[in-house]
Amino acid sequence: MAKQHVSFNLNGKHVDALVEPRELLVHTIRETLSLTGTHIGCESSHCGACTVDLDGKSVKSCTVLAVQADGAELKTVEGLADADGLHAVQQAFIEEHGLQCGFCTPGMLIRAYRFLQENPNPTEEEIRWGMSGNLCRCTGYQNIVKAVQTAAQTLQQA
Amino acid sequence: MDNAAEVQEREDSIKGVGCSRKRKEDARFVQGTGRYTDDLKLPGMLFADMVRSPYAHARIKSINKEKALALPGVHAVLTADDLKPLNLHWMPTLAGDVQAVLADEKVHFQYQEVAVVIADDRYIAADAIELVEVEYEELDVLVDPHRSMDDDAPILREDLVGKMDGAHSKRVHDNHIFNWQAGEKEATDRVFEQAEITVKQEMYYPRVHPCPMETCGCVASFDKINEHLTVHLTSQAPHVVRTVVSMLSGIPESKIRIVSPDIGGGFGNKVGIYPGYVVSIVASIVLGVPVKWVEDRMENISTTAFARDYHMTGELAADSEGRIKALRVNVLADHGAFDACADPSKFPAGLMHICTGSYDIPVAHLNVDGVYTNKAPGGVAYRCSFRVTEAVYVIERTIDVLAQKLGIDKAEIRRRNFVKAEQFPYQTCLGWELDSGDYHTALEKVLDAVDYEALRKEQQEKRAQGELMGIGLCTFTEIVGAGPSRNCDILGVGMFDSAEIRVHPTGSVMARMGTITQGQGHQTTYAQIIATELGISSDEISIEEGDTDTAPYGLGTYGSRSTPVGGAATAVAARKIRAKAQKIAAHLLEVSENDLEWEVDRFKVKGVPGQEKTMKEVAWAAYNNVPEGMEPGLEAVDYYDPPNFTYPFGIYLCVVDIDKATGETSVRRFYALDDCGTRINPMIIEGQIHGGLTEGFAVAMGQEMPFDEQGNLLGNTLMDYFVPTFVETPHWETDYTVTPSPHHPLGAKGVAESPHVGSIPCFTSAVVDAFAHLDVTHMNMPHSAYRVWQKVHELGLDQHA
Ligand code: FES
Ligand code: FES
């Protein structure tokens, strides 16, 4: 299949890639660009392990074609930390024991990162609904909720 | 600072046993640098994908690979005929049966592997499987295990026809796998005949799937020049995989390296050896390049190892006070088309004979028949120790039924039957020795915490108003930490586990174990054990597992065996090091060994303040100044064969409210008290309990794998198969008591599976309790809104007055 040229901004860097028209964004990120923090749990929009931030929205990258991301601003888990260290959501997940096997974690973090911009001061109920597109089999969510609350506090104080 | 404070400060700085130390593994996971199997990309790597059967039972008339092979980018299409010359078209299972690697002349279940395509990438492989033409002739399908042994049932396993000596017993029908019994049948029957009260309850424990977030997969890479095979795979038991791969392939174990990298959850799904692994290895050997296989979610739920599927009948005989006199349990076990249960070899029904639970029961009998049906093979322990979930379910449900029949409160009937604290170690009538426990204390703690009396009163009032409120109780005992090699082995290898610890000259430590973490946090907790034993900060201790080239041989992580077995090996190996260190310290201080005492991180000469050597000083000396005749270095290995299992227990209480209009059950409160003996890292324990409760909630309230009459699996996507989200998942309250195990070096027991095992019957108990005043004794899982509504409707409770 003839490849298409796409370019986008990924974690602050300009990226060019040749992709098949049918190629899923998650595969471009993981295989072509070798950023394997974004995971695949279902390839059917249910689990959220593949969540990335695309033009200021959380999207499931298993359900976006790479060509649709042409010209977009993308952020994956690898782009959360900066020169000053870990992002508040990353730090909070460690503090509150919000992860176990770590497989859902990148998707959770990138969703929490966006969710706390949509709603900087959420209630527990709002966190549970706001994060409900991301599944976790290990933690039972309770500590992830705490981590999001902790991150919200840190971000508000900053 | 006074002396005590100074000692305490040193103690704290070590971050040893009992400390809620933050996890060592988190830094890489939160930054996206975890390394899971599918993250691995090797030069020249190809991708494998499976052609699977649309039918549950059919003869394969022909397979035409031509079109697939003609597709650019396709390197090979393999079928059973291609594996035959290598004798790899069938493989042995862990349960003494054989399993088709690729369907040989016949398919036995829907989605069975029929052919494998090897292609440049996963897209081409996916295209190519559509081009493989398979012609089938449909056969009669056997779905209902109750029909398996009928005279006119279709025979599933033609390879076994007439072979009536099964791996575990005589077979009485071609679709029969085994009969297995424990306890005393006649004595039990006699008690039942004479008993004042008997109850009998049938129940079905549905077929479910562990469904970890990461599916199964592998990357096989055969180095033709050195004849060396490396396989990265999602395995909870990499060393066992190496042994099996060697037995299957004839490659010596010394030339096989199995690596379990980071694993995205296991829960029993990643214990088995699956056709995908075998064909990837074969393909890599044949093609001389690395081959990756990763299943998608549908393949995962459909084919790689279901759990449960037990049709059970529980019976209790008791006196009129509710004191249990005998237990009888009958099980019809649906094992699917191949018996691929992952159990210790001698136990075809796992540890089901722990079904006497937490109760002092004089006599019991358990009878299990395993049968074939046209369903996927499996029978793994989904976050539990070999069939313990089923065992706990049957006893906890049946004792509730007994309480109901006698009109005794379900907490009271348990009080009357509990094994008492002074009876430990307690011999159960089915052959186990419960190591320690104090059930009465734990029960009272929970009842007080939730104000049980007030809850019962509220329930009375609600019932008077026609509302449905249920209180569930489960008082379970688990059996974990397989296991003593006198009765536990896998393919003949005893179920010990191992640790190897090296203390470096500068006092940092590298330790490796035969287990493998899948989210349990071994890198964190094993280091804490060593820290306490050696007085070296856990931050300076590195833990590695999962690479068979470097780690000592172990049986892996499942059945809550890491702490009971691997943790014990770690403590014992560390103690060997400390014993040697003590000799070196005595030599350095020019005193006798017996003049020394240990304090947190150092040896001190008794009664002579200031005369001391820290473990770090001893470590340095171990490499340059050891006593005459002692070999230098400071390291030890331990292969720990546990004297017994450990028996963690818990008291769980659940309060539900049921909506009569929709059948929806809302979990108002769930209180979980666990006793896992000594607590190594309370933060991690609590996290494990949250996770286990959530998986228990999933099983009780929604998970099932239903089949239609043609054997089609109705529900193998995350759309249909219930994995609770943030929104459905209840809030968990946790509590604990500490009753150390007398035989474990640290007094610790397993913990992560208790919440799964214990919560499931607790949810059923709660839902049924909401209808108990209407003479309902049992409702089968899952307690989904629709099914609960059906009960509401059947009882006419949804009719307006
Ligand atoms: S992999 Fe994209 S939602 Fe599951
Ligand atoms: S931490 Fe394992 S799936 Fe969430």
Side-chain angles (χ1 to χ4, degrees):
Chain A
M1 231 170 280
K3 296 211 171 185
Q4 307 272 318
H5 172 254
V6 292
S7 62
F8 40 74
N9 184 301
L10 177 60
N11 299 330
K13 288 197 198 91
H14 179 85
V15 169
D16 286 291
L18 283 177
V19 302
E20 279 190 38
R22 62 174 176 174
E23 190 168 315
L24 300 174
L25 179 59
V26 70
H27 290 137
T28 310
I29 293 171
R30 288 178 49 83
E31 318 246 325
T32 313
L33 304 172
S34 296
L35 289 183
T36 54
T38 303
H39 295 150
I40 299 172
C42 68
E43 289 175 305
S44 54
S45 318
H46 292 107
C47 76
C50 63
T51 305
V52 300
D53 201 72
L54 188 150
D55 287 336
K57 285 204 179 77
S58 303
V59 301
K60 291 174 173 172
S61 62
C62 72
T63 321
V64 175
L65 296 169
V67 290
Q68 291 175 285
D70 194 26
E73 288 276 330
L74 277 172
K75 195 192 267 295
T76 65
V77 67
E78 289 91 345
L80 281 177
D82 59 21
D84 298 334
L86 297 182
H87 188 276
V89 292
Q90 293 172 306
Q91 199 58 52
F93 269 62
I94 296 174
E95 285 306 314
E96 303 294 352
H97 186 30
L99 64 148
Q100 292 181 20
C101 78
F103 200 76
C104 70
T105 310
M108 289 286 177
L109 290 168
I110 209 80
R111 173 60 196 141
Y113 159 81
R114 177 55 51 195
F115 172 69
L116 288 176
Q117 293 176 56
E118 294 162 0
N119 184 349
N121 192 13
T123 62
E124 166 162 0
E125 173 97 358
E126 286 166 345
I127 294 172
R128 286 187 179 265
W129 281 100
M131 300 285 297
S132 63
N134 291 66
L135 297 177
C136 174
R137 288 293 280 150
C138 300
T139 64
Y141 305 109
Q142 201 153 312
N143 288 346
I144 300 184
V145 171
K146 270 202 234 163
V148 176
Q149 285 167 332
T150 301
Q153 276 165 18
T154 315
L155 289 166
Q156 294 229 309
Q157 280 155 15
Chain B
M1 187 166 17
D2 67 5
N3 188 43
E6 187 265 340
V7 172
Q8 186 60 48
E9 188 168 298
R10 275 194 273 133
E11 177 96 57
D12 293 347
S13 73
I14 277 174
K15 299 187 202 161
V17 170
C19 160
S20 281
R21 177 182 187 225
K22 301 292 175 222
R23 296 199 335 158
K24 269 286 239 246
E25 6 323 69
D26 289 357
R28 68 177 188 278
F29 291 145
V30 300
Q31 295 182 79
T33 56
R35 212 163 113 99
Y36 301 87
T37 299
D38 195 19
D39 299 341
L40 192 66
K41 197 157 93 179
L42 297 176
M45 187 174 80
L46 303 178
F47 203 90
D49 205 348
M50 295 286 188
V51 177
R52 295 178 180 277
S53 170
Y55 300 110
H57 199 196
R59 206 166 294 289
I60 298 174
K61 309 245 310 198
S62 67
I63 302 178
N64 184 349
K65 317 172 180 176
E66 295 302 314
K67 285 186 191 152
L69 283 169
L71 186 73
V74 172
H75 294 256
V77 178
L78 304 177
T79 65
D81 284 343
D82 300 303
L83 301 182
K84 236 174 239 174
L86 306 166
N87 205 21
L88 282 175
H89 53 317
W90 290 78
M91 64 176 177
T93 69
L94 296 178
D97 195 0
V98 290
Q99 164 176 9
V101 173
L102 293 174
D104 183 20
E105 296 178 16
K106 220 173 102 157
V107 290
H108 290 86
F109 63 92
Q110 192 192 29
Y111 298 108
Q112 187 177 346
E113 301 79 3
V114 172
V116 59
V117 169
I118 317 289
D120 279 342
D121 64 39
R122 58 184 97 207
Y123 287 81
I124 299 172
D127 287 340
I129 59 174
E130 301 296 330
L131 299 174
V132 176
E133 295 168 330
V134 186
E135 208 187 329
Y136 297 95
E137 176 192 317
E138 286 186 70
L139 299 170
D140 285 346
V141 177
L142 178 58
V143 175
D144 180 0
H146 293 100
R147 282 206 50 226
S148 290
M149 296 204 278
D150 284 359
D151 290 344
D152 61 347
I155 306 297
L156 305 194
R157 294 289 299 280
E158 287 167 0
D159 59 309
L160 297 180
V161 168
K163 294 183 188 160
M164 303 317 274
D165 284 322
H168 304 287
S169 73
K170 286 260 178 256
R171 303 193 309 134
V172 299
H173 186 287
D174 282 320
N175 293 330
H176 187 223
I177 307 172
F178 65 83
N179 173 268
W180 191 76
Q181 303 188 22
E184 296 174 60
K185 182 169 174 13
E186 271 115 60
T188 305
D189 289 348
R190 235 175 294 129
V191 176
F192 268 88
E193 278 158 28
Q194 290 155 13
E196 285 178 72
I197 301 287
T198 62
V199 290
K200 178 173 184 172
Q201 183 64 57
E202 289 183 6
M203 59 196 82
Y204 174 49
Y205 206 130
R207 178 174 277 236
V208 290
H209 193 277
C211 199
M213 285 309 301
E214 178 202 36
T215 60
C216 299
C218 71
V219 179
S221 171
F222 186 68
D223 169 354
K224 273 201 158 144
I225 294 168
N226 297 303
E227 296 182 326
H228 193 287
L229 175 70
T230 303
V231 190
H232 285 74
L233 83 172
T234 50
S235 176
Q236 298 177 232
H239 301 273
V240 180
V241 172
R242 188 183 70 192
T243 302
V244 172
V245 169
S246 174
M247 285 155 95
L248 284 176
S249 67
I251 302 171
E253 271 190 273
S254 56
K255 287 188 170 250
I256 300 174
R257 175 179 173 222
I258 304 291
V259 183
S260 289
D262 286 326
I263 297 181
F267 317 122
N269 183 211
K270 294 168 180 169
V271 172
I273 293 175
Y274 299 122
Y277 302 155
V278 177
V279 295
S280 304
I281 291 169
V282 172
S284 177
I285 293 173
V286 172
L287 298 170
V289 289
V291 174
K292 178 188 276 189
W293 169 75
V294 177
E295 56 179 9
D296 66 25
R297 181 56 61 189
M298 270 173 70
E299 293 176 296
N300 176 249
I301 297 179
S302 313
T303 65
T304 48
F306 75 93
R308 319 282 151 79
D309 217 344
Y310 262 29
H311 298 258
M312 306 189 283
T313 308
E315 294 175 83
L316 283 170
D319 65 18
S320 55
E321 301 294 307
R323 291 201 171 75
I324 299 171
K325 301 296 177 198
L327 167 71
R328 198 154 58 190
V329 175
N330 259 291
V331 181
L332 178 67
D334 185 342
H335 283 225
F338 308 103
D339 186 17
C341 282
D343 288 317
S345 305
K346 291 187 189 69
F347 298 129
L351 310 175
M352 185 70 194
H353 42 324
I354 192 69
C355 60
T356 49
S358 306
Y359 313 110
D360 187 5
I361 300 180
V363 64
H365 181 245
L366 164 68
N367 180 71
V368 186
D369 279 294
V371 295
Y372 292 120
T373 59
N374 285 120
K375 298 175 197 161
V380 296
Y382 171 7
R383 202 175 184 132
C384 77
S385 188
F386 319 111
R387 303 289 183 187
V388 173
T389 312
E390 292 89 324
V392 168
Y393 195 80
V394 75
I395 183 66
E396 288 300 301
R397 284 281 57 239
T398 312
I399 197 169
D400 269 12
V401 175
L402 177 65
Q404 214 172 323
K405 174 149 186 178
L406 288 166
I408 299 173
D409 181 82
K410 60 173 96 168
E412 177 56 25
I413 200 158
R414 286 166 163 88
R415 270 188 207 112
R416 291 183 195 175
N417 286 288
F418 275 155
V419 175
K420 297 184 192 69
E422 60 272 19
Q423 286 176 282
F424 290 94
Y426 173 84
Q427 308 289 331
T428 75
C429 60
L430 294 181
W432 301 112
E433 182 181 293
L434 308 186
D435 58 349
S436 65
D438 183 351
Y439 305 147
H440 285 97
T441 303
L443 175 65
E444 298 315 321
K445 194 171 182 203
V446 170
L447 298 181
D448 285 350
V450 300
D451 196 349
Y452 186 65
E453 292 306 317
L455 283 171
R456 282 289 175 211
K457 212 164 141 251
E458 182 192 344
Q459 187 186 38
Q460 285 296 325
E461 291 159 13
K462 287 260 162 77
R463 281 179 179 169
Q465 292 158 17
E467 287 174 41
L468 296 172
M469 166 185 168
I471 302 167
L473 186 65
C474 175
T475 57
F476 63 93
T477 294
E478 259 210 299
I479 171 171
V480 307
S485 60
R486 66 176 180 278
N487 55 13
C488 291
D489 72 88
I490 286 188
L491 297 174
V493 182
M495 294 186 74
F496 57 82
D497 227 292
S498 60
E500 179 191 289
I501 306 175
R502 297 180 188 169
V503 184
H504 304 135
T506 50
S508 68
V509 174
M510 168 58 82
R512 298 187 171 93
M513 288 79 185
T515 48
I516 172 74
T517 194
Q518 308 128 36
Q520 296 91 337
H522 291 178
Q523 281 182 280
T524 308
T525 50
Y526 281 146
Q528 291 179 253
I529 295 173
I530 298 171
T532 291
E533 297 293 335
L534 296 184
I536 292 169
S537 167
S538 52
D539 290 339
E540 294 179 67
I541 300 171
S542 298
I543 304 294
E544 267 187 22
E545 301 172 295
D547 183 338
T548 60
D549 265 10
T550 54
Y553 200 102
L555 278 271
T557 294
Y558 43 85
S560 277
R561 60 189 302 284
S562 297
T563 295
V565 194
T570 304
V572 173
R575 284 172 194 180
K576 290 178 186 171
I577 289 175
R578 197 161 98 192
K580 179 171 180 179
Q582 183 158 355
K583 290 191 169 64
I584 298 171
H587 164 73
L588 297 176
L589 293 161
E590 298 179 347
V591 295
S592 132
E593 247 192 275
N594 301 329
D595 295 331
L596 295 177
E597 60 187 357
W598 174 255
E599 186 194 79
V600 184
D601 58 351
R602 62 197 58 187
F603 295 101
K604 303 176 83 165
V605 180
K606 288 179 204 160
V608 190
Q611 282 285 74
E612 56 186 40
K613 287 286 169 196
T614 64
M615 184 57 93
K616 289 218 160 179
E617 291 170 311
V618 172
W620 184 255
Y623 292 86
N624 61 32
N625 182 9
V626 294
E628 188 75 30
M630 178 186 276
E631 59 181 278
L634 198 55
E635 56 184 71
V637 183
D638 187 69
Y639 283 75
Y640 187 82
D641 187 0
N644 190 2
F645 287 83
T646 67
Y647 299 80
F649 64 94
I651 311 290
Y652 290 178
L653 190 138
C654 172
V655 184
V656 300
D657 299 293
I658 293 174
D659 183 327
K660 284 190 296 181
T662 63
E664 234 151 322
T665 301
S666 110
V667 177
R668 187 202 308 178
R669 195 158 186 199
F670 198 102
Y671 197 93
L673 178 148
D674 276 280
D675 190 322
C676 61
T678 304
R679 294 156 61 85
I680 295 168
N681 183 321
M683 176 192 82
I684 287 183
I685 291 174
E686 169 137 341
Q688 292 292 312
I689 290 173
H690 288 172
L693 293 172
T694 305
E695 290 194 347
F697 171 76
V699 168
M701 307 311 278
Q703 293 189 338
E704 63 176 330
M705 298 169 73
F707 290 82
D708 70 10
E709 283 174 7
Q710 278 77 47
N712 296 307
L713 174 52
L714 310 172
N716 54 4
T717 69
L718 293 182
M719 181 76 105
D720 301 302
Y721 189 70
F722 180 54
V723 173
T725 73
F726 278 88
V727 175
E728 296 89 27
T729 303
H731 179 82
W732 309 114
E733 296 172 76
T734 58
D735 196 353
Y736 63 96
T737 55
V738 177
T739 316
S741 167
H743 64 77
H744 186 277
L746 303 169
K749 303 180 178 186
V751 68
E753 299 173 340
S754 297
H756 181 99
V757 169
S759 66
I760 296 167
C762 192
F763 286 115
T764 301
S765 175
V767 171
V768 172
D769 193 64
F771 299 94
H773 57 302
L774 304 166
D775 286 334
V776 175
T777 58
H778 178 72
M779 289 158 70
N780 274 334
M781 295 185 287
H783 309 299
S784 58
Y786 177 58
R787 293 167 64 106
V788 173
W789 176 82
Q790 283 177 308
K791 178 60 77 183
V792 169
H793 188 64
E794 180 191 313
L795 295 168
L797 302 175
D798 55 344
Q799 309 301 318
H800 291 288

